[in-house]
Amino acid sequence: MQNETRSTPKKPKRNYWKWICIILISLIVILAGWIYVAVFVSSPQTEPTPTLISNKEAVEFQTSTTKADLNQLISTYIDEFSKDQDIGYQVFVANNVNFTAEAKIFDQPVELHLKFSPKVVDDGNVELTLKDMSVGALPLPVSYVMSYVNKNYQFPDWVTINPKKEKIYLALDKLKLKGDTKVRVDTLDLKKDDISFTLLVPVN
């Protein structure tokens, strides 16, 4: 009697290429989904552009200078104010504001030298207080000398001389610059050479 030999069932072969294709397709789908989410969903929303234009009538520019530059500015302004004519006096700043002029008092030629101490007042205007004075060798009262200066020399409209109080008031808010620009003094410490001011440029 012959023994029947049973054949061992063969294991089905695995289709590795099929699984590789499925994995690749899955990776492609996942990558595409990630790109979509990153670009269209998770990207930051564009914020509206803020309003960058102010509604002020004038734009402020803060700046600082030195006594040397301020003297050059004063000289240039006096030349323009006098229309290149000799107005008979000079103004310059050192540790004080100095006014010098050649005058004729009582038919005598004398040299005036007035020294003022400056102070910022009234939101950027300047007040000059007389600190020292010399009128050649003549012993004249301060009020007389300042009255003489006020009557015999030409000054801009924004300069007011008060002989009784021995002061000069500089209304810089009335000073007319090019383009209607105005100036406001912030600090005026001549001894420390600390001079700063604000330019107000009209935009409306």
Side-chain angles (χ1 to χ4, degrees):
M1 188 174 180
Q2 296 181 348
N3 293 328
E4 293 181 359
T5 59
R6 296 181 180 178
S7 60
T8 304
K10 296 181 179 182
K11 295 181 179 180
K13 294 182 178 182
R14 294 182 178 179
N15 192 342
Y16 293 101
W17 289 110
K18 176 182 177 181
W19 289 106
I20 291 173
C21 289
I22 292 174
I23 293 172
L24 287 176
I25 292 173
S26 299
L27 289 176
I28 292 172
V29 171
I30 293 172
L31 180 61
W34 179 81
I35 293 174
Y36 176 85
V37 171
V39 173
F40 297 101
V41 178
S42 300
S43 60
Q45 299 295 322
T46 303
E47 296 183 2
T49 304
T51 302
L52 298 179
I53 301 177
S54 68
N55 56 1
K56 295 182 179 179
E57 294 183 357
V59 178
E60 298 184 1
F61 295 94
Q62 281 79 28
T63 185
S64 60
T65 188
T66 62
K67 287 182 286 190
D69 290 338
L70 184 58
N71 279 324
Q72 184 177 12
L73 182 62
I74 292 172
S75 177
T76 301
Y77 180 84
I78 290 178
D79 288 342
E80 293 180 354
F81 171 73
S82 63
K83 299 179 180 179
D84 296 329
Q85 296 178 358
D86 186 10
I87 58 177
Y89 65 84
Q90 291 181 333
V91 178
F92 66 94
V93 295
N95 287 339
N96 297 281
V97 178
N98 298 271
F99 174 91
T100 61
E102 291 184 359
K104 197 170 185 180
I105 301 178
F106 305 138
D107 294 328
Q108 295 186 33
V110 295
E111 182 176 335
L112 297 176
H113 187 188
L114 283 69
K115 186 182 296 184
F116 296 90
S117 176
K119 182 177 69 172
V120 180
V121 295
D122 297 342
D123 193 25
N125 295 322
V126 176
E127 184 181 76
L128 305 177
T129 302
L130 186 67
K131 184 177 180 181
D132 191 17
M133 179 190 76
S134 64
V135 191
L138 298 176
L140 298 175
V142 172
S143 59
Y144 175 86
V145 175
M146 292 192 66
S147 295
Y148 177 89
V149 170
N150 190 31
K151 293 177 181 178
N152 290 274
Y153 298 100
Q154 186 179 5
F155 296 95
D157 294 337
W158 48 273
V159 176
T160 302
I161 298 177
N162 191 327
K164 292 183 178 180
K165 293 184 177 181
E166 302 179 4
K167 296 178 183 293
I168 297 179
Y169 184 76
L170 308 180
L172 297 177
D173 53 351
K174 297 180 181 179
L175 173 61
K176 295 181 180 179
L177 299 177
K178 293 182 179 179
D180 292 330
T181 298
K182 293 185 178 181
V183 61
R184 182 183 68 218
V185 178
D186 299 318
T187 57
L188 188 58
D189 191 335
L190 298 181
K191 292 183 179 179
K192 295 181 179 180
D193 209 7
D194 182 12
I195 305 168
S196 64
F197 55 91
T198 299
L199 294 175
L200 296 94
V201 182
V203 291
N204 292 329

